[in-house]
Amino acid sequence: MSHALILLAHGSRDPRWRAPFEELTATLAARSATPLRLAFMELSEPSLESTAAELENAGVTQADVLPLFFAAGRHLREDVPGQLEALRQANPGIRLDLLAPVGDHPAFVDALASIIEAQAATNKGENAP
């Protein structure tokens, strides 16, 4: 069984918005033995649909979809599961599993807290009266 990981971001019409996600994917791909792909839920390419089709055509039989979201809102409770169900019908040769968003992982909270604390310490003197 060939396995891949799809990093799923929301998407935006603004190409500058996509840049951090593209950089993150390139950095992670260099560190990972698992093939990684970036896909967008909407408004951007590559779409989740085109990414699933590409992976299936490449012989990948299973892909986990990791949402790069802080929390599971309506998109992750309704929209993305609906997309995945449609993709399972359209691409029966690849199993697609939706993982919990990165924001649910305890390490994410710790990393974010460290960033916030560092920013607060850096800016502490700049905002003083």
Side-chain angles (χ1 to χ4, degrees):
M1 174 188 294
S2 178
H3 179 260
L5 179 64
I6 299 171
L7 303 177
L8 181 67
H10 184 275
S12 171
R13 289 182 184 91
D14 184 348
R16 295 171 297 179
W17 178 90
R18 292 191 308 261
F21 294 98
E22 292 164 347
E23 292 170 17
L24 173 66
T25 302
T27 299
L28 294 175
R31 296 181 184 184
S32 177
T34 301
L36 295 176
R37 297 290 187 280
L38 175 63
F40 298 99
M41 190 193 92
E42 61 185 9
L43 306 173
S44 298
E45 288 295 330
S47 66
L48 185 55
E49 291 79 6
S50 64
T51 301
E54 172 202 336
L55 290 171
E56 183 183 35
N57 290 336
V60 172
T61 58
Q62 179 181 353
D64 292 324
V65 179
L66 178 61
L68 300 177
F69 289 57
F70 277 13
R74 183 182 56 83
H75 282 319
L76 293 183
R77 286 191 317 268
E78 298 173 17
D79 300 336
V80 174
Q83 281 180 294
L84 291 177
E85 186 53 40
L87 287 170
R88 289 180 187 111
Q89 300 299 318
N91 305 90
I94 186 170
R95 179 178 157 190
L96 299 165
D97 293 319
L98 182 60
L99 304 177
V102 294
D104 282 359
H105 196 284
F108 179 83
V109 174
D110 291 340
L112 189 57
S114 294
I115 292 166
I116 292 168
E117 290 166 0
Q119 288 292 343
T122 300
N123 296 322
K124 191 175 188 178
E126 294 176 17
N127 296 327

